Amino acid sequence: MVDPAPEFSRTVPADLIGPQVQEHRIEASAAERRALAERFELAELKSLLAVVRLQRPNSKGLIHFEACFEAELVQTCVVTLEPIESHVKDRIVLQFGRATAADGAQATEIDIAIDEEDPPEPIVSGDIDMGEAVAQGLALALDPYPRKPGASLEAGVSDLGDAEASANPFAALAPLRKKD
């Protein structure tokens, strides 16, 4: 199965990254923001802007990726289902490299020990996709359970006392049972 194309793709050939820091300013278009909003289940993604710095400290080494990004977005409150406007600002740092096996061939699997550093992100087709890396960083920065200030689940709790409700969690369902 072929992976779908990323919604926000900005690629740079890995071979063009050298010891000098390259800085790229990338911004998502309206169509890209709509597609990302759908992917991340947002009500709206109003803006997404990132400044990316790339550098290969030595000629054969890993590529250092650092991105600072900001996004204006609208999520849905998990309690009231009302829109919540949010501002997200974050920084991600990654390493990109070609994974190779001990014999020099391309590796298909990577063994990872728990106490080791994360392996480098793979360079796909000779390119680094700055946009997809930023999109994944945004996904990690989102509040997974957005809640409006003051929103509470207590309005849905039954009239049973706290002690009775905790002793028998099915007691609230008793009134729904058909009487024979």
Side-chain angles (χ1 to χ4, degrees), residues 37 40-46 71-77 82-87 142 146:
F40 300 138
E41 298 178 358
L42 302 172
E44 182 181 5
L45 180 56
K46 295 180 175 186
E72 294 291 331
L73 54 101
V74 180
Q75 290 183 285
T76 303
C77 175
E82 295 178 60
I84 304 171
E85 295 204 14
S86 301
H87 177 85
L142 293 173

Side-chain angles (χ1 to χ4, degrees), residues 39-116:
R39 175 178 169 188
F40 300 138
E41 298 178 358
L42 302 172
E44 182 181 5
L45 180 56
K46 295 180 175 186
S47 67
L48 176 58
L49 173 68
V51 175
V52 179
R53 291 178 185 86
L54 299 167
Q55 179 184 25
R56 186 187 315 253
N58 62 52
S59 62
K60 302 246 190 239
L62 298 174
I63 295 173
H64 180 76
F65 173 100
E66 179 180 340
C68 296
F69 66 90
E70 291 189 52
E72 294 291 331
L73 54 101
V74 180
Q75 290 183 285
T76 303
C77 175
V78 296
V79 176
T80 66
L81 302 179
E82 295 178 60
I84 304 171
E85 295 204 14
S86 301
H87 177 85
V88 174
K89 184 176 182 178
D90 207 352
R91 175 178 169 264
I92 53 176
V93 177
L94 301 169
Q95 299 288 330
F96 282 84
R98 290 182 176 87
T100 57
D103 62 0
Q106 281 294 107
T108 56
E109 294 183 17
I110 299 175
D111 291 327
I112 302 171
I114 292 176
D115 58 344
E116 289 181 5

Side-chain angles (χ1 to χ4, degrees), residues 109-171:
E109 294 183 17
I110 299 175
D111 291 327
I112 302 171
I114 292 176
D115 58 344
E116 289 181 5
E117 286 186 27
D118 290 338
E121 297 293 317
I123 296 173
V124 179
S125 301
D127 294 330
I128 292 176
D129 194 339
M130 301 179 293
E132 179 58 19
V134 169
Q136 290 178 16
L138 172 63
L140 293 173
L142 293 173
D143 182 351
Y145 303 105
R147 187 181 280 198
K148 280 192 93 116
S152 167
L153 293 175
E154 293 172 8
V157 175
S158 74
D159 292 335
L160 296 173
D162 287 337
E164 185 181 346
S166 63
N168 184 358
F170 298 105

